[in-house]
Amino acid sequence: MWSIAMVGDTVYVGGNFDYIRPPGTAPGDPQQQPRKNLAAFNATTGQPLPWNPVVEGTVFTATTPQTDCDSLGNDQWICDAVWEIKPSPDGSKLYVGGDFAKINGEWRSKIASFDLPSGSLTTFKRAVNSRVKALTVTPSTVYAGGYFTAVDGIARQRLAAFSTTDGSLTSWAPTADRSVHAIITTPDQTRVVLGGDFNRINGNPPHGMGAVYTDTGASAPWATGVDYVSDTRRSWVTDLVKDGTTIYASANGEGTFDGRLALDPTDGTQRWIDNCLGATQAITLLDGILYSGSHAHDCSSQPDGFPDLASQFPYQRLLAEPANPSGDTPPILHWFPNTNGGATTYNQGPRAMDNNGTHLWVGGDFTKVNGKDQQGLTRFASLAAGADVNPPELIAKPQVSKPNGTTGTLKVDWKQTWDRDNKHLKYEVIRDGTTVVHTTEADSRFWDLQTMTFTDTGLAPGSTHTYSVRAIDPFNNRIRSSESAPVQAG
C-alpha cells in the first residue's frame, strides 16, 4: 500500500496489490475480493466499498531487476503500481499517479482522475513518460512530480501542472534534476513546496527541498534542505503535510537525517527538528499531533524518546509528537502501536497515512499490527470516535519470597507492564486469587520497565499463599498475571 487519501467517511488506497481480504485471514480465503491497485473502504467500519477500477501496466523486457515492478519471468516485467492519491479541495475529484498505463482498459499513462462520489473514470488523459510520484491539487490546478521528463512529448523535468477544468497541460514548468517525491502548496496558496531526492530546483539548492511560485514556477526563497554528502550517503524528503502556519516534512536517509522537520512556509527556515533514527516514510496531522510511519530505532535525541532498540526490541514503526512543541525539538508522545517490517526487502512497514479528523489510517508493506495478522492496511480511532478498549500488555507472574528472619510476612516482586497509549497505570496485588491487598500507581515505558515490590505482613504463621498482579489503565481496561507459586509465610 503506497498511498491513502480520505474524503469524508471514505478511504481510498493505492499501491501494488491484487486482492483485499479481512484482517487475520490468509491469502485465498473465501472472503477475499479482487482489487487491482486501487480500493475504497468505509473509514468508520473498515468495510470495503464496491469501487473496483482495474489499474494495469504494460509488459516490457529487461535483463536487470526492475525496482518496484513485478517480474513475469523470462526477463519480462510489468510496472503498474499507484504511488499517489489526492482529492480535489471540494472532494469532487480523485487524482491518482503512478506507473500504470491503463485503467479499466482505457489508456491512462501515469496519471488519471475519477469523479466522486461515483468513482467513474474521467476523460482526463495525458501521456507522461515515467512515474508520477507526487500530486497536490488546488481548485484550479493539479501539480505533479516524479521521475518523468516529458508530458505529451513536451519537456517537463520531473514537475508539471494541469488544469482542473479541462486537464490541459499548463505552462508551469520548473525543473528538478532528480526525482520529486512530495508536493504541497503553502497555506496561502502562493507557492508549491517540493520534496524529494533532487539537488537542484530550477538550478538552485538546497538538496531535497525547495519552493516555486504557483503561477510562474520561478524559484521562491527556501532555506532548509536535507543532508547530502554523496550519492551513497544522503537524505531525501518522503512526505509533506501542512497546517495553517507550518509545513512538515519527513525524510529517509542513508547514514544521514531521516526524522521529521517543521518549517516556515514563507521561506523554509527551520522551526524544529526531530532527529530520531529510522527512515520516515509518511506523516499526517490530527488534532495538533504529527503522526509518523517509520522504522524508528533510536529516539534518544528527543525528550521522552527511547534509546537504541536494536539489541532488545522491535523497531517502533508508529510515533506521535506535538506539531507545535514549546522547544526546538518535540517530545515523543506515549502512543506506541506497532507493525512489523513486512515481507519486502525494504523492512519498512508503514508507507502511507491519512486521517479525517477521527480515524487515522495507515498503509504499507507490513503483515502484522500489534502482533496480530493484518496485512498492508490498518486504522486507529480517536477518543472522539470511540472509547479506548485495549488493555495493557501482558504482565508476568510475580515472584514471592519469605524475607529472612520474618514471621507472617511475604515479599511480592513483579515487573511493570506497559500500555500502548497510556503511560500511567494502576497495579493491584491480589492474594489467593480474590483479595486485593495493595494498590499502587506508576508510569511505565516499554524500554524501561521497573521492578515493583510489596511486602504483605500480618499473615498467619505457617500459612501458604499465592499472588497475582493486575494492571489497570485510565480507561479501566485490565490485564492480570497468572498466579505465583504458593509460598509459606513461616
Side-chain angles (χ1 to χ4, degrees):
M1 203 71 67
W2 295 114
S3 186
I4 297 175
M6 300 187 72
V7 181
D9 202 36
T10 300
V11 182
Y12 297 94
V13 301
N16 186 11
F17 53 88
D18 297 307
Y19 299 96
I20 59 173
R21 64 182 192 273
T25 58
D29 186 275
Q31 299 175 83
Q32 180 172 284
Q33 300 180 36
R35 294 291 189 277
K36 186 62 174 173
N37 301 323
L38 283 171
F41 300 85
N42 181 282
T44 302
T45 67
Q47 292 300 305
L49 299 176
W51 190 61
N52 187 18
V54 177
V55 181
E56 302 173 277
T58 55
V59 178
F60 63 97
T61 300
T63 57
T64 58
Q66 301 295 294
T67 303
D68 301 318
C69 297
D70 295 325
S71 173
L72 303 178
N74 299 317
D75 295 331
Q76 299 292 295
W77 299 83
I78 189 167
C79 303
D80 58 6
V82 173
W83 285 91
E84 180 73 300
I85 307 175
K86 283 292 168 67
S88 60
D90 64 0
S92 67
K93 292 281 193 299
L94 188 73
Y95 294 87
V96 299
D99 292 327
F100 50 83
K102 294 181 180 180
I103 298 180
N104 294 339
E106 299 185 29
W107 286 102
R108 293 293 187 275
S109 178
K110 313 297 189 292
I111 192 168
S113 71
F114 299 87
D115 282 323
L116 296 181
S118 70
S120 301
L121 186 67
T122 74
T123 58
F124 176 50
K125 182 179 180 181
R126 301 266 66 92
V128 184
N129 73 338
S130 191
R131 178 181 300 169
V132 172
K133 186 70 160 52
L135 296 169
T136 197
V137 188
T138 70
S140 63
T141 308
V142 181
Y143 296 95
Y147 296 69
F148 55 86
T149 56
V151 177
D152 297 337
I154 301 168
R156 287 293 186 271
Q157 290 294 117
R158 301 174 184 87
L159 291 163
F162 307 91
S163 167
T164 56
T165 302
D166 60 8
S168 59
L169 180 68
T170 75
S171 61
W172 189 83
T175 64
D177 65 339
R178 300 205 307 195
S179 55
V180 175
H181 297 173
I183 299 181
I184 200 167
T185 56
T186 55
D188 65 3
Q189 301 280 296
T190 62
R191 282 144 293 165
V192 180
V193 180
L194 309 168
D197 196 17
F198 47 80
N199 289 317
R200 298 286 188 274
I201 295 293
N202 290 334
N204 301 314
H207 170 77
M209 293 194 77
V212 297
Y213 290 105
T214 52
D215 51 359
T216 65
S219 292
W222 196 262
T224 302
V226 291
D227 296 343
Y228 182 87
V229 179
S230 69
D231 277 356
T232 58
R233 190 181 173 203
R234 71 195 194 283
S235 303
W236 58 93
V237 170
T238 56
D239 201 3
L240 295 166
V241 296
K242 67 183 176 183
D243 57 24
T245 62
T246 306
I247 300 289
Y248 303 89
S250 61
N252 195 346
E254 296 181 349
T256 51
F257 171 72
D258 50 10
R260 292 152 298 272
L261 292 163
L263 306 155
D264 187 321
T266 62
D267 59 7
T269 53
Q270 182 181 299
R271 289 182 169 163
W272 58 252
I273 186 169
D274 168 350
N275 279 301
C276 281
L277 301 179
T280 309
Q281 296 293 340
I283 49 178
T284 192
L285 284 163
L286 173 59
D287 291 337
I289 304 298
L290 184 70
Y291 292 89
S292 58
S294 67
H295 61 258
H297 57 88
D298 186 347
C299 285
S300 57
S301 61
Q302 305 308 115
D304 296 326
F306 43 81
D308 193 345
L309 304 178
S311 63
Q312 300 182 65
F313 302 98
Y315 290 171
Q316 179 57 46
R317 290 182 165 85
L318 294 168
L319 295 175
E321 58 202 327
N324 295 287
S326 57
D328 58 4
T329 191
I332 300 300
L333 301 178
H334 195 99
W335 184 72
F336 295 120
N338 209 4
T339 76
N340 67 349
T344 74
T345 57
Y346 298 108
N347 194 34
Q348 173 61 42
R351 291 280 184 175
M353 303 179 107
D354 200 11
N355 75 87
N356 64 354
T358 57
H359 288 84
L360 169 63
W361 282 66
V362 178
D365 55 359
F366 50 83
T367 59
K368 291 183 180 293
V369 178
N370 293 342
K372 297 180 180 179
D373 290 344
Q374 183 137 346
Q375 184 169 354
L377 192 63
T378 191
R379 66 195 179 105
F380 304 91
S382 72
L383 290 176
D388 182 346
V389 296
N390 298 300
E393 295 299 293
L394 292 174
I395 184 168
K397 71 178 179 182
Q399 301 299 308
V400 182
S401 60
K402 175 185 174 296
N404 291 335
T406 64
T407 300
T409 299
L410 291 173
K411 180 171 170 282
V412 184
D413 295 305
W414 73 96
K415 193 171 187 178
Q416 288 179 319
T417 187
W418 64 286
D419 187 278
R420 294 185 182 276
D421 45 20
N422 297 287
K423 181 190 290 187
H424 196 74
L425 298 177
K426 181 167 70 173
Y427 295 90
E428 294 178 340
V429 179
I430 304 167
R431 184 204 300 146
D432 298 332
T434 57
T435 304
V436 176
V437 294
H438 177 65
T439 299
T440 188
E441 298 184 15
D443 289 347
S444 60
R445 304 177 295 180
F446 70 84
W447 63 93
D448 188 27
L449 299 178
Q450 302 296 308
T451 297
M452 304 183 76
T453 297
F454 166 67
T455 301
D456 198 8
T457 60
L459 301 169
S463 60
T464 298
H465 302 279
T466 62
Y467 292 84
S468 61
V469 176
R470 182 160 52 212
I472 307 170
D473 75 11
F475 298 90
N476 204 34
N477 299 302
R478 301 171 170 223
I479 193 80
R480 184 170 171 175
S481 75
S482 57
E483 295 281 329
S484 70
V487 177
Q488 190 176 69

